[in-house]
Amino acid sequence: MDTMEANIKTETVDNTIEGNKGSSITIKVLFFARARDLTGLNEMPLEVSSGSSANDCLNNLVARFPSLEEIRGCIVLALNEEYTTESTIVKDDDELAIIPPISGG
Amino acid sequence: MMAAEEKTLVEILEEHNPIDLAKYINYVSAPQAGAIATFSGTTRDTFEGKVVLELRYEAYTPMAIRYLKSICSSARSSWNLHSIAVAHRLGPVPVGETSVFIAISSVHRIDALDACKYVIDELKATVPIWKKEVLANGEVWKENSEFLERRLELGKKDGDCCGKKVEAEVHDKKGCCGTKVKVNEEGIANNSTGHEGSGEVE
Protein backbone atom coordinates (compact mmCIF):
# COMPACT_ATOMS: atom_id res chain seq x y z
CA MET A 1 0.00 0.00 0.00
CA ASP A 2 1.45 3.23 -1.08
CA THR A 3 1.08 6.23 1.09
CA MET A 4 2.00 8.16 -1.99
CA GLU A 5 -1.07 6.93 -3.70
CA ALA A 6 -2.48 10.39 -4.13
CA ASN A 7 0.35 11.30 -6.45
CA ILE A 8 -0.50 8.69 -8.97
CA LYS A 9 -3.00 10.14 -11.31
CA THR A 10 -3.87 7.27 -13.52
CA GLU A 11 -5.59 8.62 -16.54
CA THR A 12 -5.37 5.36 -18.31
CA VAL A 13 -7.80 2.68 -17.33
CA ASP A 14 -6.02 -0.22 -18.91
CA ASN A 15 -2.35 0.31 -18.87
CA THR A 16 0.14 -2.15 -20.17
CA ILE A 17 1.83 -4.84 -18.20
CA GLU A 18 4.87 -2.68 -17.65
CA GLY A 19 3.02 -0.43 -15.30
CA ASN A 20 3.77 3.20 -14.77
CA LYS A 21 7.49 3.08 -14.81
CA GLY A 22 7.76 6.59 -15.90
CA SER A 23 6.04 8.42 -18.64
CA SER A 24 3.12 7.43 -20.72
CA ILE A 25 3.04 8.07 -24.39
CA THR A 26 0.09 8.59 -26.67
CA ILE A 27 -0.20 7.14 -30.13
CA LYS A 28 -2.92 7.34 -32.72
CA VAL A 29 -4.54 4.08 -33.77
CA LEU A 30 -6.27 3.76 -37.14
CA PHE A 31 -8.82 1.07 -37.94
CA PHE A 32 -9.58 -0.03 -41.48
CA ALA A 33 -12.13 -2.24 -43.19
CA ARG A 34 -13.15 -5.14 -40.96
CA ALA A 35 -11.27 -3.71 -38.01
CA ARG A 36 -13.38 -0.59 -38.24
CA ASP A 37 -16.54 -2.66 -38.51
CA LEU A 38 -15.60 -4.45 -35.31
CA THR A 39 -14.62 -1.42 -33.25
CA GLY A 40 -16.96 1.13 -34.75
CA LEU A 41 -14.07 3.58 -34.91
CA ASN A 42 -11.96 5.11 -37.65
CA GLU A 43 -9.33 6.15 -35.19
CA MET A 44 -8.60 6.70 -31.54
CA PRO A 45 -5.82 7.94 -29.29
CA LEU A 46 -4.16 5.27 -27.20
CA GLU A 47 -2.11 5.93 -24.13
CA VAL A 48 0.48 3.32 -23.25
CA SER A 49 3.61 3.11 -21.18
CA SER A 50 6.76 4.44 -22.69
CA GLY A 51 8.68 1.52 -24.12
CA SER A 52 5.60 -0.40 -25.15
CA SER A 53 5.76 -2.49 -28.28
CA ALA A 54 3.27 -2.60 -31.11
CA ASN A 55 2.19 -5.93 -29.69
CA ASP A 56 1.52 -4.33 -26.31
CA CYS A 57 -0.64 -1.78 -28.05
CA LEU A 58 -2.50 -4.51 -29.88
CA ASN A 59 -3.10 -6.39 -26.63
CA ASN A 60 -4.46 -3.19 -25.17
CA LEU A 61 -6.81 -2.75 -28.12
CA VAL A 62 -8.03 -6.33 -28.00
CA ALA A 63 -8.75 -5.89 -24.31
CA ARG A 64 -10.86 -2.84 -25.10
CA PHE A 65 -12.47 -4.42 -28.15
CA PRO A 66 -12.64 -8.18 -27.63
CA SER A 67 -14.23 -8.64 -31.03
CA LEU A 68 -10.86 -7.76 -32.57
CA GLU A 69 -9.69 -11.17 -31.48
CA GLU A 70 -11.56 -12.54 -34.46
CA ILE A 71 -9.14 -10.95 -36.91
CA ARG A 72 -6.07 -10.76 -34.79
CA GLY A 73 -4.47 -13.68 -36.53
CA CYS A 74 -4.57 -12.19 -39.96
CA ILE A 75 -3.99 -8.49 -39.52
CA VAL A 76 -0.72 -6.76 -40.05
CA LEU A 77 0.36 -3.57 -38.38
CA ALA A 78 1.75 -0.42 -39.89
CA LEU A 79 3.63 2.18 -37.92
CA ASN A 80 3.87 5.64 -39.43
CA GLU A 81 2.76 4.32 -42.81
CA GLU A 82 5.16 1.40 -42.99
CA TYR A 83 4.52 -2.24 -42.25
CA THR A 84 6.07 -3.22 -38.98
CA THR A 85 6.59 -6.19 -36.73
CA GLU A 86 4.83 -6.52 -33.42
CA SER A 87 8.05 -6.21 -31.49
CA THR A 88 8.70 -2.68 -32.69
CA ILE A 89 8.69 -0.16 -29.87
CA VAL A 90 6.24 2.67 -30.38
CA LYS A 91 7.04 6.30 -29.62
CA ASP A 92 4.94 9.27 -28.66
CA ASP A 93 2.76 10.56 -31.52
CA ASP A 94 3.28 7.45 -33.62
CA GLU A 95 0.48 6.36 -35.90
CA LEU A 96 -0.38 2.67 -35.65
CA ALA A 97 -2.69 1.23 -38.28
CA ILE A 98 -4.61 -2.02 -37.89
CA ILE A 99 -4.54 -3.55 -41.34
CA PRO A 100 -6.82 -6.50 -42.12
CA PRO A 101 -6.07 -8.51 -45.27
CA ILE A 102 -5.98 -6.09 -48.16
CA SER A 103 -7.86 -6.30 -51.40
CA GLY A 104 -6.83 -3.53 -53.73
CA GLY A 105 -7.06 -3.83 -57.45
CA MET B 1 21.88 8.35 -67.63
CA MET B 2 18.67 9.74 -66.28
CA ALA B 3 16.02 10.49 -68.84
CA ALA B 4 14.92 14.01 -68.18
CA GLU B 5 11.35 13.25 -69.15
CA GLU B 6 11.02 10.10 -67.06
CA LYS B 7 7.81 10.54 -65.16
CA THR B 8 5.84 8.72 -62.54
CA LEU B 9 2.26 9.54 -61.57
CA VAL B 10 0.40 7.90 -58.69
CA GLU B 11 -3.17 8.89 -57.94
CA ILE B 12 -5.82 7.71 -55.51
CA LEU B 13 -9.12 9.10 -56.67
CA GLU B 14 -11.84 10.04 -54.25
CA GLU B 15 -15.29 8.54 -54.50
CA HIS B 16 -17.42 8.97 -57.59
CA ASN B 17 -14.51 9.93 -59.82
CA PRO B 18 -14.26 7.48 -62.72
CA ILE B 19 -10.80 6.76 -64.03
CA ASP B 20 -9.99 8.60 -67.22
CA LEU B 21 -7.94 6.01 -69.05
CA ALA B 22 -6.91 8.36 -71.83
CA LYS B 23 -5.43 10.78 -69.36
CA TYR B 24 -2.98 8.21 -68.06
CA ILE B 25 -2.15 6.86 -71.49
CA ASN B 26 -1.40 10.37 -72.61
CA TYR B 27 0.69 10.94 -69.54
CA VAL B 28 3.03 8.04 -70.31
CA SER B 29 3.14 8.60 -74.06
CA ALA B 30 6.46 9.76 -75.42
CA PRO B 31 8.13 9.90 -78.81
CA GLN B 32 10.97 7.74 -77.55
CA ALA B 33 8.67 5.06 -76.20
CA GLY B 34 7.66 2.47 -78.74
CA ALA B 35 5.39 0.66 -76.33
CA ILE B 36 2.66 1.49 -73.88
CA ALA B 37 1.36 -1.39 -71.79
CA THR B 38 -1.74 -0.97 -69.68
CA PHE B 39 -3.71 -2.92 -67.13
CA SER B 40 -7.27 -2.12 -66.20
CA GLY B 41 -8.98 -3.89 -63.31
CA THR B 42 -12.74 -3.85 -63.63
CA THR B 43 -15.63 -4.93 -61.46
CA ARG B 44 -17.02 -8.31 -62.48
CA ASP B 45 -20.70 -9.11 -62.36
CA THR B 46 -20.41 -12.43 -60.60
CA PHE B 47 -18.20 -14.12 -58.10
CA GLU B 48 -18.54 -17.87 -57.70
CA GLY B 49 -22.01 -17.81 -59.09
CA LYS B 50 -23.23 -14.97 -56.91
CA VAL B 51 -24.32 -11.74 -58.51
CA VAL B 52 -22.10 -8.82 -57.58
CA LEU B 53 -23.83 -5.47 -57.51
CA GLU B 54 -20.77 -3.35 -56.97
CA LEU B 55 -17.43 -3.17 -55.24
CA ARG B 56 -16.65 -0.50 -52.67
CA TYR B 57 -13.10 0.57 -52.08
CA GLU B 58 -11.38 2.30 -49.21
CA ALA B 59 -7.73 3.01 -48.55
CA TYR B 60 -5.15 4.10 -46.01
CA THR B 61 -4.38 6.76 -48.53
CA PRO B 62 -1.04 8.23 -47.43
CA MET B 63 0.45 4.78 -46.98
CA ALA B 64 -1.08 3.51 -50.21
CA ILE B 65 0.50 6.34 -52.16
CA ARG B 66 3.80 5.73 -50.46
CA TYR B 67 3.76 2.04 -51.37
CA LEU B 68 2.60 2.66 -54.93
CA LYS B 69 5.49 5.05 -55.44
CA SER B 70 7.84 2.48 -53.99
CA ILE B 71 6.49 -0.18 -56.36
CA CYS B 72 7.09 2.19 -59.27
CA SER B 73 10.68 2.73 -58.10
CA SER B 74 11.23 -0.99 -57.89
CA ALA B 75 9.82 -1.44 -61.35
CA ARG B 76 12.26 1.15 -62.68
CA SER B 77 15.16 -0.66 -61.13
CA SER B 78 14.14 -3.93 -62.76
CA TRP B 79 13.08 -2.73 -66.19
CA ASN B 80 14.01 0.00 -68.56
CA LEU B 81 10.95 2.20 -68.37
CA HIS B 82 10.03 5.59 -69.62
CA SER B 83 6.93 6.69 -67.73
CA ILE B 84 4.55 5.10 -65.27
CA ALA B 85 1.03 6.05 -64.22
CA VAL B 86 -1.05 4.22 -61.61
CA ALA B 87 -4.53 5.26 -60.55
CA HIS B 88 -6.90 3.61 -58.08
CA ARG B 89 -10.45 4.65 -57.37
CA LEU B 90 -12.11 4.72 -54.00
CA GLY B 91 -15.76 4.37 -53.16
CA PRO B 92 -18.31 2.43 -55.17
CA VAL B 93 -17.23 0.97 -58.51
CA PRO B 94 -20.15 -0.53 -60.43
CA VAL B 95 -19.91 -3.58 -62.64
CA GLY B 96 -17.86 -2.95 -65.73
CA GLU B 97 -16.07 0.10 -64.44
CA THR B 98 -12.37 0.37 -63.80
CA SER B 99 -11.12 0.45 -60.24
CA VAL B 100 -7.41 0.36 -60.95
CA PHE B 101 -5.47 1.45 -64.01
CA ILE B 102 -1.79 1.14 -64.81
CA ALA B 103 -0.06 2.58 -67.85
CA ILE B 104 3.64 2.13 -68.52
CA SER B 105 5.72 3.20 -71.46
CA SER B 106 9.09 1.94 -72.59
CA VAL B 107 11.28 1.89 -75.65
CA HIS B 108 10.75 -1.83 -76.19
CA ARG B 109 7.59 -3.67 -75.33
CA ILE B 110 9.07 -6.38 -73.12
CA ASP B 111 9.86 -3.87 -70.37
CA ALA B 112 6.45 -2.22 -70.30
CA LEU B 113 4.60 -5.52 -70.45
CA ASP B 114 6.61 -7.18 -67.71
CA ALA B 115 6.59 -4.10 -65.49
CA CYS B 116 2.85 -3.78 -65.87
CA LYS B 117 2.31 -7.28 -64.55
CA TYR B 118 4.74 -6.63 -61.73
CA VAL B 119 2.99 -3.45 -60.63
CA ILE B 120 -0.47 -4.98 -60.39
CA ASP B 121 0.87 -8.08 -58.65
CA GLU B 122 2.71 -5.96 -56.10
CA LEU B 123 -0.25 -3.67 -55.63
CA LYS B 124 -2.43 -6.61 -54.77
CA ALA B 125 0.12 -7.95 -52.35
CA THR B 126 1.12 -4.84 -50.44
CA VAL B 127 -0.87 -1.66 -51.01
CA PRO B 128 -3.33 -0.89 -48.17
CA ILE B 129 -6.54 -0.68 -50.15
CA TRP B 130 -9.62 -2.77 -49.36
CA LYS B 131 -12.69 -3.70 -51.29
CA LYS B 132 -16.06 -4.83 -50.12
CA GLU B 133 -18.13 -6.94 -52.44
CA VAL B 134 -21.78 -5.94 -52.41
CA LEU B 135 -24.02 -8.87 -53.22
CA ALA B 136 -27.79 -9.11 -53.35
CA ASN B 137 -28.02 -10.38 -49.81
CA GLY B 138 -24.94 -9.09 -48.05
CA GLU B 139 -21.50 -7.56 -48.12
CA VAL B 140 -18.15 -9.22 -47.85
CA TRP B 141 -14.67 -7.82 -47.36
CA LYS B 142 -12.40 -9.37 -49.93
CA GLU B 143 -8.88 -10.58 -49.27
CA ASN B 144 -6.17 -10.86 -51.88
CA SER B 145 -4.40 -14.18 -51.97
CA GLU B 146 -1.29 -12.27 -52.98
CA PHE B 147 -1.38 -10.49 -49.64
CA LEU B 148 -2.06 -13.62 -47.63
CA GLU B 149 0.89 -15.36 -49.22
CA ARG B 150 3.11 -12.41 -48.43
CA ARG B 151 1.67 -11.46 -45.07
CA LEU B 152 4.22 -13.22 -42.97
CA GLU B 153 7.01 -11.35 -44.68
CA LEU B 154 5.29 -8.02 -44.34
CA GLY B 155 4.50 -8.09 -40.71
CA LYS B 156 6.78 -10.98 -39.80
CA LYS B 157 3.91 -12.50 -37.96
CA ASP B 158 2.88 -16.03 -37.36
CA GLY B 159 -0.58 -17.34 -36.99
CA ASP B 160 -3.72 -18.30 -38.81
CA CYS B 161 -6.05 -15.99 -40.41
CA CYS B 162 -9.21 -14.42 -39.35
CA GLY B 163 -12.47 -16.20 -39.14
CA LYS B 164 -14.85 -14.58 -41.49
CA LYS B 165 -14.98 -14.03 -45.16
CA VAL B 166 -12.78 -15.00 -47.97
CA GLU B 167 -10.10 -17.54 -48.19
CA ALA B 168 -7.07 -17.78 -50.32
CA GLU B 169 -5.86 -20.86 -52.03
CA VAL B 170 -3.91 -22.69 -49.46
CA HIS B 171 -0.60 -23.87 -50.69
CA ASP B 172 1.82 -24.78 -48.00
CA LYS B 173 1.41 -21.59 -46.13
CA LYS B 174 -1.14 -20.85 -43.52
CA GLY B 175 -3.24 -18.06 -44.75
CA CYS B 176 -6.83 -18.73 -45.27
CA CYS B 177 -9.88 -17.36 -43.70
CA GLY B 178 -13.47 -17.59 -44.51
CA THR B 179 -14.78 -20.97 -43.63
CA LYS B 180 -12.92 -21.20 -40.38
CA VAL B 181 -10.34 -23.52 -41.78
CA LYS B 182 -7.92 -24.85 -39.24
CA VAL B 183 -4.59 -25.54 -40.76
CA ASN B 184 -2.47 -27.80 -38.69
CA GLU B 185 1.05 -28.71 -39.52
CA GLU B 186 0.05 -30.49 -42.61
CA GLY B 187 -3.09 -30.37 -44.55
CA ILE B 188 -6.39 -28.98 -43.62
CA ALA B 189 -8.14 -30.36 -40.62
CA ASN B 190 -11.48 -28.83 -41.11
CA ASN B 191 -12.60 -27.48 -44.40
CA SER B 192 -15.96 -27.24 -45.99
CA THR B 193 -15.19 -26.30 -49.54
CA GLY B 194 -12.19 -25.26 -51.50
CA HIS B 195 -13.32 -21.73 -51.96
CA GLU B 196 -11.14 -19.14 -53.47
CA GLY B 197 -12.11 -15.69 -52.45
CA SER B 198 -15.29 -14.83 -50.69
CA GLY B 199 -17.86 -17.43 -50.40
CA GLU B 200 -19.69 -16.38 -47.33
CA VAL B 201 -22.34 -13.82 -47.07
CA GLU B 202 -23.84 -12.40 -43.94
Side-chain angles (χ1 to χ4, degrees):
Chain A
M1 284 240 220
D2 272 338
T3 51
M4 304 290 269
E5 217 173 69
N7 282 349
I8 302 167
K9 206 177 177 186
T10 38
E11 286 162 359
T12 54
V13 177
D14 280 324
N15 217 326
T16 61
I17 315 123
E18 326 275 75
N20 270 332
K21 271 197 188 159
S23 43
S24 291
I25 57 168
T26 302
I27 66 169
K28 179 159 78 166
V29 180
L30 305 179
F31 299 103
F32 292 97
R34 184 103 186 104
R36 186 188 55 250
D37 288 352
L38 292 171
T39 61
L41 298 173
N42 281 309
E43 62 176 75
M44 63 173 272
L46 185 70
E47 190 173 348
V48 292
S49 297
S50 178
S52 295
S53 66
N55 189 49
D56 293 333
C57 298
L58 190 53
N59 287 337
N60 193 316
L61 291 167
V62 174
R64 291 165 191 264
F65 305 101
S67 56
L68 281 178
E69 192 63 55
E70 172 192 316
I71 61 170
R72 191 191 181 141
C74 66
I75 58 171
V76 291
L77 301 175
L79 195 61
N80 303 323
E81 302 173 9
E82 304 229 349
Y83 290 113
T84 191
T85 61
E86 290 196 346
S87 55
T88 305
I89 305 300
V90 301
K91 304 179 312 299
D92 197 40
D93 284 339
D94 272 354
E95 183 171 281
L96 182 70
I98 310 303
I99 297 189
I102 62 174
S103 43
Chain B
M1 258 196 260
M2 289 238 276
E5 297 163 50
E6 203 176 83
K7 304 177 297 184
T8 300
L9 176 63
V10 167
E11 288 189 344
I12 306 270
L13 306 180
E14 288 306 312
E15 303 197 356
H16 310 300
N17 282 299
I19 294 182
D20 178 353
L21 310 194
K23 166 184 160 182
Y24 300 102
I25 292 173
N26 286 336
Y27 178 85
V28 304
S29 297
Q32 313 93 307
I36 296 175
T38 68
F39 173 81
S40 170
T42 60
T43 299
R44 285 187 272 143
D45 61 1
T46 53
F47 189 84
E48 291 190 349
K50 299 181 190 66
V51 172
V52 173
L53 301 177
E54 68 179 16
L55 296 176
R56 285 189 204 142
Y57 288 89
E58 67 177 66
Y60 181 7
T61 299
M63 183 175 168
I65 290 175
R66 183 188 287 252
Y67 273 71
L68 283 169
K69 287 182 176 172
S70 170
I71 290 168
C72 293
S73 290
S74 293
R76 284 195 183 283
S77 68
S78 298
W79 292 280
N80 187 13
L81 306 176
H82 190 274
S83 299
I84 307 174
V86 182
H88 202 301
R89 274 180 83 169
L90 299 182
V93 181
V95 168
E97 293 192 25
T98 298
S99 55
V100 59
F101 189 68
I102 300 165
I104 301 182
S105 59
S106 60
V107 174
H108 300 295
R109 71 183 184 281
I110 187 70
D111 296 279
L113 284 168
D114 287 352
C116 207
K117 179 179 194 306
Y118 170 80
V119 172
I120 184 63
D121 288 349
E122 287 300 300
L123 184 157
K124 281 185 164 286
T126 66
V127 177
I129 297 175
W130 296 265
K131 66 173 166 266
K132 201 178 214 188
E133 197 173 67
V134 179
L135 308 170
N137 54 352
E139 298 176 352
V140 176
W141 286 109
K142 305 288 292 184
E143 298 178 8
N144 290 346
S145 59
E146 298 88 342
F147 169 86
L148 295 172
E149 285 160 22
R150 188 95 63 99
R151 185 178 66 82
L152 300 180
E153 295 164 38
L154 283 177
K156 305 229 159 117
K157 243 179 74 149
D158 200 2
D160 341 340
C161 262
C162 59
K164 283 195 181 186
K165 316 300 173 262
V166 188
E167 3 169 326
E169 274 174 334
V170 179
H171 302 284
D172 296 306
K173 313 201 166 160
K174 307 167 208 177
C176 59
C177 318
T179 51
K180 303 211 163 68
V181 174
K182 276 208 173 150
V183 181
N184 293 321
E185 267 144 26
E186 40 182 329
I188 299 171
N190 173 23
N191 186 16
S192 52
T193 45
H195 270 292
E196 182 189 326
S198 74
E200 293 203 85
V201 169
E202 285 173 323

